[in-house]
């Protein structure tokens, strides 16, 4: 098999999704499974849908289109505000999109009208993380405008925390969103289909004993794929944290001094703190680098230590010299996963084939 490659254990992804769907269902919360980190891999989408996700969340229309082309028929929500220039593609592919600008909503209304469809709008509200969202005091007015547009339906409201600034989606923030949901319903005389409380960072709150109020949906990506919650990157009990492995191949392995020799200035990627090691190390080069992944987001096997990386090389203390051609698996965090998925140099291997024979890389 070619290297580097990202191995995806679909059975583990499906287990994780089922576990979260089941636990959240007990709290009255459905799961919109977010596949963006896999570039909308149909094999992953099939797993999470089989596990009971109510639909797919995608940030990019290209990924949503890839899912449709592969035959995925579940509802798709575009979770990043559409670009006005993509309005036609959005209404053609996604039932629902998350929105914060009436100009975009207007473009979607026009596109939906000419396509003869009704498009659902989730209005996102800013609750302090300072990424997307209308200010809370403007939400009701925005929702009142949305319901006036032809060929649109006010599908729900949502918020997104812990993304840009790490603001915690706690009881207070969720109560605020619940109150806003009720205010929007009262002034628009609309029953909201979803009140979408957030992402994987909401799981501590959602799985805990706090009252859930009006929150009935979460958009979950990282926890399904990597089995951990993103606030403290702690594994969630009962979930697999090893569904993904980045396999890299040795191209050089030699005993070398631990310390560089000669006058030192900047390295290819800026300043490097001098290592503290003395003596010698079994230094191994793997043919994978910053162009393929985020080396700072890789975890090496227990007996090894990552020493550095450049565009094309990962430098690892492997404890012993390894033969060129040897393959070693590294565990990617979310950042390393996203970049490996996106790199054309990294092969994707979906393991194993699912029972229905429809899994696998497509
Ligand atoms: C990426 C994203 C999600 C999913 O986040 P995870 O941390 O992967 O669960 C949810 N909502 C929005 C708006 C996003 O951009």
């Amino acid at each position: 098999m070619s290297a580097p490659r990202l191995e995806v254990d679909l059975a583990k992804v499906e287990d994780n999704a089922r576990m979260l769907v089941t636990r959240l269902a007990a709290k009255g919360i459905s799961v919109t499974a977010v596949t963006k980190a896999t570039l909308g891999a149909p094999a992953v989408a099939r797993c999470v849908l089989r596990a009971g996700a109510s639909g797919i969340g995608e940030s990019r229309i290209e990924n949503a289109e890839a899912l449709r082309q592969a035959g995925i028929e579940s509802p798709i929500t575009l979770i990043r505000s559409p670009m006005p220039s993509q309005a036609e593609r959005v209404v053609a592919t996604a039932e629902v999109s998350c929105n914060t600008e009436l100009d975009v909503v207007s473009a979607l209304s026009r596109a939906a009208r000419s396509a003869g469809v009704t498009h659902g709008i989730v209005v996102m509200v800013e609750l302090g993380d300072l990424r997307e969202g209308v200010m809370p005091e403007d939400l009701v007015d925005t929702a009142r405008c949305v319901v006036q547009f032809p060929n649109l339906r006010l599908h729900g409201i949502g918020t997104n925390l812990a993304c840009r600034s790490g603001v915690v989606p706690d009881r207070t923030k969720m109560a605020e969103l619940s109150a806003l949901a009720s205010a929007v319903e009262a002034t628009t005389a609309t029953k909201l289909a979803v009140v979408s409380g957030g992402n994987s960072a909401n799981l501590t709150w959602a799985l805990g004993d706090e009252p859930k109020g009006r929150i009935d949906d979460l958009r979950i990506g990282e926890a399904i794929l990597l089995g951990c919650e993103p606030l403290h990157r702690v594994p969630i009990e009962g979930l697999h944290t090893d569904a993904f492995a980045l396999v890299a191949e040795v191209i050089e392995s030699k005993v070398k001094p631990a310390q560089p020799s000669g006058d030192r200035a900047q390295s290819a990627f800026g300043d490097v703190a001098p290592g503290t090691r003395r003596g010698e190390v079994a230094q191994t080069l793997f043919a994978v680098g910053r162009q393929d992944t985020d080396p700072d987001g890789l975890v090496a096997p227990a007996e090894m230590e990552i020493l550095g990386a450049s565009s094309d090389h990962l430098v690892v203390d492997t404890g012993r010299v390894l033969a060129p051609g040897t393959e070693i698996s590294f565990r990617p965090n979310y950042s390393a996963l996203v970049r490996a998925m996106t790199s054309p140099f990294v092969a994707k291997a979906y393991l194993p084939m699912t029972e229905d024979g429809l899994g696998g890389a497509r």
Side-chain angles (χ1 to χ4, degrees), residues 34 36-37 59 79-80 98 124 131-132 159-160 163 198-201 219-225 230 233 334:
V34 175
K36 69 186 181 199
S59 55
I79 59 174
R80 184 176 72 178
C98 295
M124 297 295 279
R131 205 180 70 178
E132 74 271 43
T159 196
N160 196 63
C163 258
N199 54 52
S200 295
R219 310 172 304 274
I220 307 284
E222 178 167 352
I224 292 174
L225 301 175
R233 296 255 140 61
Y334 192 76

Side-chain angles (χ1 to χ4, degrees), residues 33-50:
V34 175
T35 50
K36 69 186 181 199
T38 68
L39 308 196
V44 171
R46 282 190 202 98
C47 283
V48 296
L49 290 168
R50 253 201 313 268

